[in-house]
Amino acid sequence: MKKETLAALYDAHRTEFMDALRSIMQIKSVRGPSRPDAPFGSGPRAALDAAAELGTAYGFQTKVINGAMTAIQWGDDDHHYIGIVGHLDVVPAGEVAWHFPPYDLTEQNGRLYGRGILDNKGPSMACLFGMKLLKEAGYRPKRTIRLILGSDEESGSADVPRYLASQAPPDFGFTPDCKFSVVYGERGIVNYQLTTPITDGSLANIGEIRGDQASDHVPDQLEVPVNDQLIRATGKRAPSNAPELGDNAITRLADTLLNQPAVHGQFADYCRWLVTKLADQHNGAGLGMAFADAASGNLIVTPYQWQKAGQTLTLRLAMRYPVTYHEADVTQALATSVLPRTAIEVIRSLPGVLHDRHDPRLQDLSQAYEQITGRPGQLVTTTGATYARTMPNIVAFGPSFPGQKGIAHNADEWMDEQDLKLNMLIDMTAMMKLGGMTD
């Protein structure tokens, strides 16, 4: 089907699509307390149920699997199918003020705002609505297409094992949760906790380090009492896989503390180590691990949590290492760079993934991108972590276009409607190619 025909379908049904998208955006699908029918909380489960209702209304076979993922299926083969794997859970809105309601859909000057509009409710709903439009246009897939919508991607993808416990994995497919064109490789990820005891009493007058600190972003506001004086540091929030777009409040706070007369001894040495080894050294050079390769570029290191407990300091680091390196390489280099007495603990480990870039199905996706955008469909790697690591036979494909980076997980998360429309057209074209569709 030509781009112009697909675009006309979108335009004719735009209001219906926006209403459906808004209904999903208004669900606060942040992970919460587990219950038997909602292992990742009531919000994520409500989003799964809402998507299932839409899938049923659109005439597809629909079911929620083990409380974790919604399957919306076009075709009858439950064992051999093309999978499209998105997610409806979102990260919290954060403590930074929004200019728009975070758990809603706001349209302004051609731009759409709201938590999840890019990551990943907008692209996921574009896939669902694209299936609907193709079905109503009279197309039928020769190979079953199953849209699988998850509820725990942002917190570790524990929804995927629950799905695979009763369901066959896709034969092939994509997740619209990264970037274009086709992502054939994802870097390895390892998060560390460094625990350092301070034994000379230099923490006695230092209070609790407070601020919004989590593994998904660079912290931007931190404070700590020192001799009853509140010391603050202000940086700039950014996704943890793009720390160069932010300004890390951890290293800023450490640098500010070094100018306080009350900061001395081992604690001063610790703050100096933080600044020397980690401030603005996103490629790991300060830690002696400036690893890089041609396929995926430089290693990325992001300090994301700094805490004091009694006479002990803990620091958490997120590392994304190139696809040709191994976690052991990173751990060995880190061990030579930490302060004396520091214990190193791996708290998250995701090996890299690499697909055969010559797989003809990757070429199908690349051609779908080229057909709609007119741009070269280059195969790329990513610093992010998607369902492609946990769901077999899946590659990342969209939604961000070249040059778009660091939008997700921030306040005022946005996506231009034109880009969301292009995503839908690309996804529909990909479904036609992978599903062998005929009218």
Side-chain angles (χ1 to χ4, degrees), residues 23-35 37-51 64 67-68 70 87-91 103 121 149-152:
S23 71
I24 297 295
M25 295 282 293
Q26 289 174 338
I27 299 171
K28 187 177 179 180
S29 50
V30 175
R31 182 165 182 164
S34 177
R35 66 180 200 224
D37 65 336
F40 310 111
S42 58
R45 176 58 199 253
L48 295 182
D49 290 338
V64 177
T70 289
H87 68 90
L88 302 178
D89 61 306
V90 296
V91 300
Y103 302 109
K121 291 179 175 181
L149 300 175
S151 59
D152 189 53

Side-chain angles (χ1 to χ4, degrees), residues 206-210 223-225 308:
I206 309 299
E208 176 189 2
I209 301 170
R210 299 188 293 261
E223 62 183 26
V224 59
K308 170 185 175 285

Side-chain angles (χ1 to χ4, degrees), residues 24 37 40 44-56 60-73 81 83-88 124-125 128 131 145-152 159-160 162-163 167 387 391:
I24 297 295
D37 65 336
F40 310 111
R45 176 58 199 253
L48 295 182
D49 290 338
E53 289 178 10
L54 286 171
T56 299
F60 299 112
Q61 302 174 41
T62 306
K63 56 186 174 182
V64 177
I65 296 165
N66 208 3
M69 305 186 93
T70 289
I72 301 171
Q73 185 165 306
Y81 60 90
I84 303 171
V85 192
H87 68 90
L88 302 178
S124 294
M125 289 300 295
L128 174 56
M131 287 171 60
I145 294 175
R146 181 184 286 192
L147 176 62
I148 306 165
L149 300 175
S151 59
D152 189 53
D159 47 355
V160 175
R162 295 178 71 93
Y163 174 89
Q167 303 295 307
Y387 277 137
M391 185 69 80

